[in-house]
Amino acid sequence: MPEQISFEQFKKLDLRVGKIIVAARVEGSEKLLCLEIDLGEEKRQILSGIAPFYQPEELLNKSVVIVANLEPRKIMGLESQGMLLCANADKPIFLTVISETPVGTKIC
């Protein structure tokens, strides 16, 4: 089991509902997709290693859950400004919401 964290540590995570509005393969990478995520008041670029499992066009307009306050990271010269949350199954399964939820909604 992973190390346990306190509730105070958990509260530091900024989990938000977003919508994928642009998805494209990253040139020179077999694994990476570059996604533009609408969070309501802002848009974020997030790189994700899901290209072996998803075609960019099938992701458009999908609601997803992201970690919005993850420190930005450069990957292959591009900045990733968050992280998609996925379940680890035979392929990554996006965490999402089952009801219509406005983009940018904070998950608590």
Side-chain angles (χ1 to χ4, degrees):
M1 289 292 290
E3 178 184 342
Q4 291 186 341
I5 63 172
S6 70
F7 185 71
E8 292 304 314
Q9 289 171 310
F10 173 77
K11 287 189 342 183
K12 291 180 182 179
L13 289 175
D14 185 7
L15 304 176
R16 302 241 174 208
V17 175
K19 185 171 282 196
I20 299 173
I21 56 174
V22 176
R25 294 192 174 278
V26 173
E27 190 175 322
S29 174
E30 294 180 10
K31 293 184 179 182
L32 290 176
L33 291 182
C34 182
L35 308 171
E36 185 174 342
I37 311 290
D38 181 1
L39 292 175
E41 294 181 10
E42 66 175 309
K43 293 178 178 48
R44 296 276 185 96
Q45 175 175 279
I46 295 180
L47 300 176
S48 184
I50 59 173
F53 308 100
Y54 295 97
Q55 295 301 312
E57 57 274 5
E58 70 184 295
L59 301 177
L60 295 177
N61 297 311
K62 300 288 187 201
S63 291
V64 293
V65 175
I66 72 158
V67 180
N69 63 336
L70 190 64
E71 185 176 287
R73 181 175 172 198
K74 287 271 189 179
I75 304 171
M76 295 191 69
L78 299 170
E79 186 175 75
S80 186
Q81 304 163 326
M83 180 181 284
L84 292 177
L85 293 183
C86 294
N88 187 12
D90 291 336
K91 71 177 195 176
I93 307 296
F94 294 107
L95 299 187
T96 189
V97 292
I98 62 170
S99 299
E100 196 65 33
T101 306
V103 293
T105 298
K106 185 169 175 59
I107 295 174
C108 49

